[in-house]
Amino acid sequence: MTQATPKLLCRDVWKVFGPRAAERLAALGPDPDAAALQAAGLVPAVRGATLAVGAGEIFVIMGLSGSGKSTLVRCMSRLVEPSAGEILFNGQNLLAASDAEMIEIRRHKMGMVFQHFALLPHLSVLENVAFPLAVQGVARGVREARAREMVALVGLSGREGAFPRELSGGQQQRVGIARSLAVEPELWFLDEPFSALDPLIRREMQDEFIRLQSVLKKTIVFITHDFDEAIRLADRIAIMKDGAIVQMGTPEEIVLRPATDYVREFTRAVPKAKVVRVGSIMIAGPAAADLPAVAAGAAVADVAPRFLDGATALRVVDAAGATVGLLRQVDVVRLMLGGEPG
Amino acid sequence: MNPPAPLPRRGAPWAVALVAALALWLIWMLAPLLPGWASDWPKAAIVPAARWIGATVKWLTNEAALGPVAFSDLTRAIAALIDAPYRIVLSALSTGFLDGRGSTARMILPPFAWVAVVGVFALLGHRFGGWRLALLQILCLGFVAVFGQWESAMVTLASILVAVPLGVAGGVLIGIAAWRRAWIDRAIAPVLDLMQTMPVFAYLVPILILFGFGPTAAVVATLIYAMPPMTRITTLALRRVAPEIQDLGRMVGCTERQMVWRVLVPAAREALMVGVNQVIMLSLNMVIIASMIGAGGLGFDVLAALRRLDFGAGLEAGFAIVALAIALDRLSQAAAHGPAAPGAGRSYTLAALALVIGAGVAGLMLPGVQSYPEALRLSTGAFWSDAMAWINVNYFDTLEAIKNAALVHLLVPVKRFMLGLPWLGVAVGLGLLGWRLGGARLGVLAGVLTALIAATGQWEKAMTTVYLCGVSTLVAMALGVPLGIAVAGREALWRPVRAVIDTLQTLPSFVYLMPAVMLFRVGDFTAMLAVVAYAVAPAIRYTVLGLQGVDPRLIEAGRAMGCTPAQILTRIRLRLAFPEILLGLNQTIMFALSMLVITALVGTRDLGQEVYIALTKADPGRGLVAGLAVAFIAIVADRLIQAGARGARARLGLGAGGGA
Ligand SMILES: Nc1ncnc2c1ncn2[C@@H]1O[C@H](COP(=O)(O)OP(=O)(O)OP(=O)(O)O)[C@@H](O)[C@H]1O
Ligand SMILES: [Mg+2]
């Protein structure tokens, strides 16, 4: 999953709020606990976050309100200055970058989508989408052509001349997405992009997002407080609580092996069969060649109907078609009834 | 509701008021027993602040220099900077573009035709508010033309058109600087406070000396008067821009300049436009007052009419001011809420251009298009004069009786009481009150400012101001609060009342003097009437806002407990609205003070008169010292009442917000 050099690497990132925060944090030594921080008059927002995001990966940060997700992602783009730690983007230390370098990086390599859209009210849809390019001084003709492409990409063709207040929430966020993509960023931040939308629209926007990513293959840091959304979209998930990352892994790993009770609480309502892949609960080894074949990468829920024909086991094959294991009906039933896999 | 927070050192409002009243009475009773210096500041010890200021201004104008640049060069440069655009605008609106000077001047280009000006206002009205606003603009400006006030109105409009862009630009720039750097914010906050509480006449004097008599000085005064609110509003508006929008600006890589001008200022546009509306209305108010230092225009007409007691002429000019005020206010308010048809700006510009040129050409052949035909003018001046004469002939005794009754039973006793108060007692009393309400700092501030007024030898005049202001405020509250109670919660009543007080508040303060003087001639009673008329609006407004803000569930609870309507009003609604009503009292006092100074024109004997005399004698020291004394009175009243309101809110568990 994570390649040799990850696109983005956070190493032991801390962010505490309070007067002279960085100094006081340093004085407390490595890994101070909550009581020590409070005694020093500091409010911790992010505590020792370490993570790596690989190129082309959708990395989701999940946690309840106030758990520090926004602060962490704002550290990654240096919208807030981390109190301690290291952030490497393409191997370059962002915390050592000058203001001018940061402006260049943000202009050309980063894009961000905001929870409440952050559209400029005085600009039309087209001008909003072209805004990042206008800031760079790109000529009007060029930037508007590019903006038109982006508007078409998010399915808003024909609304270029509208103003934000004339659009619905979902449409506004499409504009926000188009705008963040206008500069062709390498790294794409989305901070709870769909939280302000109602459930039906949210679902639709998630599908749209999946479609876009299948075309664009960006490196994505996606924030949400909605575990279902995380499961749906993520290649990998980091779960935050009180500023610290409590577990990190693929949706499947998290659903199958929650690290703490806190995480288990989230996974409880998730239909596991939809997340867990056949490969995870098969018995590795040979299988009779006459059994029906299923792919190791498929979700268990998708292959379960095959047992309706009366089979008690299925043959699992990898992408190349070679047999890799055996999927037993009992294991599937146990998973679907909510038990931990044997 | 939250449990009432324990508030050390702070008493209940009624208890504080009672104790204060008792203390005041005690001070008055004890005054004869005090040593002489405690009631009248000894003559020998008076701080000659007026002389110092006078000398400083003289030094500034005659000698001060920074290297080779004399201070007078600086003022001359500023004057030139303002004069150039003013000449152009005035030529375009009123005099026409001339070649040569004086009687040999030849007109190269006539001014805009009156039809064109009305048309441009109508176009603007249509752009921002549709047909209704366009019609209103035509009515208002047409009114000005029909009643023969066009020339004066255009002179006034020229000053406004120059002052407003400069005031807005200056306010926005200073506001941005204050938003960016905390130390600038801290440095200008007290200056803004002072400028907003200082009576306008006070800085007319130094401006008169630095810039001479004329429209330029008037525009400078207008700028100084109208800039502080714009500065405040800018800083606030930028602070209120959603943090996400700021993040957006940084994420797309804005430089600091791009951030301000392409992200924050446009995002704060609506709030900033509210500021522009304020600047326009304050400018209009000030341009009228500044006719005393040569602004000319409608203000001059009113002033001249007042001086020759020609009420008909004065009223006509007054109505024209009202029409202009309504036109400008509605237009800028509509502009603040965004154009009705966004993005159609170009066609409007073209239409306006076509109108100006077309009307100009047509005007060459048809003089009636160029300037409103003399023959069609209406004059109501004679009518008003006759009406006044009739009232005075038939009701003189009644009016006189009303006036005398008010004087004998209210004004004179209060005045005598106030003038009998020793400065030391009042300073100590206010100090203690401040300490009770808001802690040691407030106490020291109240005591020291009071003592300073005495120390500059203005105690008697200041107490006259306080007495007039106090009585007027009392009357305004006595009228405004019951009226507010009556209309609150009755939307059908409140809507027309609100429309009336909204309009009253847009009127320049000068206008209020007219009818009062006409009926009651000069004197304290007349001043009080004008002040009450001007200051009653906030009393009504805040009462209604306060009552409307009461949580309906609490009223419901009261009803469930079997309270009678009267009990619900006094025990629940008024009690919870009390902090808001206190803020209304505060605003009423501020309005009363600012109007009071203007009533110096109708012969009061207070600090306002002092400033006015200083203005006619061009004595900057005397004017500023008296002006500062008024500002001190305003600041002490403001801080004490605000502290009281905060205390009351906290006691009621209403949180920290509220007020304007
Ligand atoms: N500027 C600040 N000053 C002080 N404390 C802050 C600041 N910004 C955030 N915090 C605190 O840091 C913690 C984490 O905030 P953050 O906004 O990162 O949470 P979040 O996970 O994004 O929550 P949400 O889902 O509500 O957006 C919170 O307790 C918050 O109060
Ligand atoms: Mg957040």
Side-chain angles (χ1 to χ4, degrees):
Chain A
M1 245 159 279
T2 39
Q3 279 87 358
T5 43
K7 198 85 188 166
L8 181 74
L9 184 68
C10 297
R11 207 173 280 147
D12 199 22
V13 171
W14 283 77
K15 177 67 197 176
V16 295
F17 291 103
R20 300 193 292 131
E23 263 172 71
R24 290 191 187 175
L25 181 67
L28 293 177
D31 205 11
D33 60 13
L37 286 165
Q38 196 179 5
L42 300 176
V43 180
V46 174
R47 300 191 297 152
T50 299
L51 58 89
V53 184
E57 183 179 28
I58 303 179
F59 189 91
V60 173
I61 300 175
M62 211 286 308
L64 297 181
S65 188
S67 56
K69 310 177 296 288
S70 293
T71 308
L72 177 56
V73 82
R74 285 156 58 84
C75 284
M76 292 174 183
S77 53
R78 244 184 102 191
L79 285 176
V80 298
E81 206 63 40
S83 313
E86 233 183 351
I87 292 170
L88 301 179
F89 175 53
N90 285 336
Q92 179 194 3
N93 185 358
L94 281 192
L95 300 188
S98 68
D99 284 352
E101 283 171 321
M102 245 3 264
I103 285 185
E104 279 308 297
I105 290 173
R106 291 197 195 118
R107 280 187 175 183
H108 299 290
K109 304 198 167 153
M110 291 178 173
M112 188 151 181
V113 179
F114 299 90
Q115 180 172 358
H116 299 103
F117 325 134
L119 300 182
L120 294 173
H122 64 296
L123 298 182
S124 67
V125 166
L126 193 69
E127 290 165 326
N128 259 298
V129 175
F131 184 70
L133 298 167
V135 165
Q136 298 173 16
V138 174
R140 176 182 291 268
V142 180
R143 68 174 191 247
E144 289 196 344
R146 172 80 190 148
R148 250 173 242 288
E149 262 175 61
M150 290 299 111
V151 171
L153 183 68
V154 297
L156 277 181
S157 293
R159 301 308 306 271
E160 286 90 348
F163 282 84
R165 62 177 174 278
E166 300 162 1
L167 300 179
S168 71
Q171 288 173 323
Q172 292 193 35
Q173 194 58 297
R174 282 169 195 264
V175 178
I177 288 174
R179 176 179 63 190
S180 69
L181 291 173
V183 299
E184 300 192 62
E186 290 176 28
L187 190 52
W188 196 20
F189 297 111
L190 300 100
D191 187 354
E192 304 207 26
F194 308 140
S195 300
L197 307 176
D198 46 40
L200 275 180
I201 309 283
R202 191 182 308 166
R203 187 86 190 172
E204 179 189 320
M205 292 296 286
Q206 288 167 359
D207 292 337
E208 179 79 17
F209 173 78
I210 291 170
R211 180 184 71 79
L212 278 175
Q213 173 64 356
S214 68
V215 183
L216 299 169
K217 306 264 192 288
K218 300 276 175 208
T219 306
I220 294 173
V221 178
F222 187 111
I223 297 196
T224 179
H225 62 242
D226 177 355
F227 191 66
D228 292 331
E229 186 170 79
I231 297 277
R232 228 176 141 216
L233 304 179
D235 289 326
R236 279 191 309 141
I237 303 176
I239 296 180
M240 287 188 77
K241 178 174 190 273
D242 299 336
I245 295 179
V246 292
Q247 189 175 7
M248 190 154 48
T250 63
E252 204 175 353
E253 282 163 6
I254 286 177
V255 168
L256 289 178
R257 286 179 291 281
T260 67
D261 288 344
Y262 178 75
V263 179
R264 195 185 319 274
E265 205 49 45
F266 287 119
T267 63
R268 196 176 301 276
V270 176
K272 296 194 172 51
K274 286 197 174 160
V275 179
V276 175
R277 293 173 196 290
V278 170
S280 303
I281 58 167
M282 69 180 186
I283 295 164
D290 58 339
L291 288 174
V294 294
V300 173
D302 294 339
V303 304
R306 305 286 291 272
F307 290 108
L308 292 176
D309 302 340
T312 54
L314 299 173
R315 179 168 60 97
V316 182
V317 297
D318 65 9
T323 300
V324 289
L326 184 75
L327 182 65
R328 294 185 303 166
Q329 190 183 22
V330 281
D331 291 330
V332 172
V333 171
R334 188 178 299 146
L335 180 79
M336 287 183 130
L337 291 178
E340 306 287 310
Chain B
M1 256 170 67
N2 304 330
L7 280 175
R9 297 187 287 104
R10 275 161 225 201
W14 300 118
V16 171
L18 197 69
V19 171
L22 264 176
L24 210 59
W25 180 74
L26 212 68
I27 292 169
W28 190 72
M29 291 299 286
L30 292 177
L33 305 178
L34 287 171
W37 61 265
S39 357
D40 296 314
W41 189 278
K43 279 248 167 2
I46 285 178
V47 183
R51 209 156 3 97
W52 296 342
I53 295 176
T56 311
V57 173
K58 197 174 276 168
W59 174 79
L60 272 176
T61 43
N62 295 338
E63 293 167 39
L66 200 78
V69 185
F71 185 77
S72 51
D73 292 337
L74 183 70
T75 58
R76 221 166 287 146
I78 295 175
L81 211 67
I82 290 171
D83 205 42
Y86 178 74
R87 292 277 149 229
I88 296 174
V89 176
L90 190 69
S91 302
L93 285 178
S94 167
T95 60
F97 293 87
L98 304 177
D99 181 28
R101 289 176 172 274
S103 54
T104 63
R106 205 168 46 82
M107 191 179 290
I108 313 170
L109 259 183
F112 292 169
W114 77 276
V115 176
V117 176
V118 175
V120 168
F121 270 86
L123 278 174
L124 284 169
H126 186 261
R127 166 144 168 70
F128 292 116
W131 285 110
R132 288 177 58 139
L133 190 57
L135 194 67
L136 181 77
Q137 301 294 321
I138 293 175
L139 280 181
C140 285
L141 290 175
F143 177 90
V144 172
V146 171
F147 286 90
Q149 305 293 320
W150 189 258
E151 282 77 26
S152 294
M154 287 305 109
V155 173
T156 297
L157 190 59
S159 298
I160 293 173
L161 286 184
V162 174
V164 167
L166 288 174
V168 169
V172 167
L173 289 178
I174 301 175
I176 289 173
W179 170 79
R180 242 192 222 162
R181 311 250 179 276
W183 66 267
I184 296 183
D185 192 32
R186 271 198 302 277
I188 65 171
V191 180
L192 293 182
D193 265 357
L194 206 62
M195 278 167 65
Q196 286 190 309
T197 44
M198 186 101 130
V200 289
F201 284 1
Y203 45 82
L204 288 187
V205 195
I207 288 170
L208 184 61
I209 290 171
L210 293 177
F211 293 92
F213 187 87
T216 311
V219 172
V220 173
T222 306
L223 277 180
I224 294 182
Y225 181 63
M227 222 155 34
M230 190 72 219
T231 307
R232 281 237 157 96
I233 289 176
T234 303
T235 315
L236 272 180
L238 292 181
R239 282 206 189 114
R240 288 209 188 132
V241 170
E244 263 194 359
I245 296 269
Q246 301 198 31
D247 283 352
L248 163 79
R250 294 179 61 196
M251 274 316 288
V252 300
C254 284
T255 60
E256 212 173 328
R257 181 174 305 217
Q258 287 175 324
M259 185 76 173
V260 169
W261 294 109
R262 304 192 67 162
V263 178
L264 295 175
V265 169
R269 174 180 174 275
E270 203 154 313
L272 290 176
M273 284 304 289
V274 172
V276 173
N277 172 262
Q278 287 234 340
V279 171
I280 292 176
M281 297 329 285
L282 290 174
S283 296
L284 179 60
N285 189 15
M286 188 64 183
V287 165
I288 303 293
I289 293 169
S291 59
M292 286 177 200
I293 58 169
L298 292 171
F300 177 78
D301 294 352
V302 175
L303 192 64
L306 265 182
R307 285 193 180 134
R308 14 172 244 279
L309 297 182
D310 177 356
F311 298 130
L315 261 190
E316 277 193 322
F319 283 138
I321 295 175
V322 172
L324 198 57
I326 292 178
L328 288 172
D329 178 60
R330 296 299 131 84
L331 194 57
S332 53
Q333 288 218 13
H337 298 116
R346 268 178 74 126
S347 45
Y348 282 98
T349 315
L350 287 179
L353 260 175
L355 192 60
V356 168
I357 295 170
V361 173
L364 294 178
M365 288 161 274
L366 298 169
V369 174
Q370 176 61 37
S371 43
Y372 187 79
E374 196 87 36
L376 295 182
R377 274 185 200 175
L378 297 179
S379 175
T380 50
F383 166 77
W384 291 112
S385 297
D386 290 348
M388 275 338 289
W390 183 79
I391 291 178
N392 276 326
V393 167
N394 289 295
Y395 294 97
F396 181 83
D397 294 335
T398 323
L399 293 176
E400 206 62 3
I402 295 174
K403 177 166 145 185
N404 284 336
L407 279 171
V408 171
H409 296 296
L410 182 64
L411 291 166
V412 172
V414 176
K415 184 176 188 174
R416 199 171 298 144
F417 172 77
M418 294 301 271
L419 289 178
L421 290 174
W423 70 267
L424 187 63
V426 175
V428 172
L430 287 178
L432 286 176
L433 186 65
W435 173 65
R436 289 290 302 173
L437 289 174
R441 271 181 68 147
L442 184 60
V444 171
L445 180 81
V448 167
L449 290 187
T450 311
L452 268 179
I453 294 174
T456 46
Q458 312 185 79
W459 188 248
E460 213 178 294
K461 296 220 157 59
M463 286 321 270
T464 312
T465 298
V466 172
Y467 125 75
L468 259 178
C469 173
V471 171
S472 307
T473 306
L474 221 64
V475 174
M477 291 299 280
L479 292 174
V481 173
L483 188 59
I485 293 174
V487 300
R490 296 193 180 88
E491 197 52 32
L493 282 176
W494 170 224
R495 203 163 324 131
V497 169
R498 189 174 53 192
V500 170
I501 61 178
D502 278 350
T503 306
L504 283 180
Q505 286 202 314
T506 60
L507 300 188
S509 35
F510 235 56
V511 173
Y512 289 81
L513 281 180
M514 261 313 163
V517 179
M518 290 195 298
L519 293 174
F520 296 99
R521 283 170 305 282
V522 297
D524 283 6
F525 183 67
T526 308
M528 185 194 91
L529 280 189
V531 173
V532 169
Y534 187 62
V536 77
I540 301 173
R541 188 188 304 274
Y542 279 81
T543 305
V544 173
L545 287 182
L547 289 175
Q548 283 177 343
V550 173
D551 188 344
R553 284 171 304 178
L554 294 176
I555 299 173
E556 207 98 302
R559 207 167 284 142
M561 283 184 286
C563 292
T564 64
Q567 284 174 324
I568 288 183
L569 180 66
T570 53
R571 299 256 173 102
I572 300 177
R573 295 176 63 206
L574 278 181
R575 187 162 295 186
L576 287 169
F578 181 71
E580 200 76 18
I581 295 176
L582 265 188
L583 292 179
L585 171 68
N586 191 19
Q587 281 293 305
T588 305
I589 293 178
M590 297 303 129
F591 271 55
L593 271 176
S594 71
M595 185 67 197
L596 197 53
V597 176
I598 289 164
T599 60
L601 287 174
V602 297
T604 52
R605 297 248 166 282
D606 63 343
L607 289 169
Q609 188 65 14
E610 189 74 2
V611 183
Y612 186 52
I613 291 171
L615 183 61
T616 54
K617 292 189 174 167
D619 180 346
R622 192 169 168 186
L624 271 185
V625 169
L628 280 174
V630 177
F632 288 174
I633 295 173
I635 290 174
V636 169
D638 176 69
R639 298 302 131 87
L640 289 180
I641 296 174
Q642 297 262 13
R646 261 199 305 281
R649 290 191 74 85
R651 228 184 333 279
L652 292 168
L654 292 175

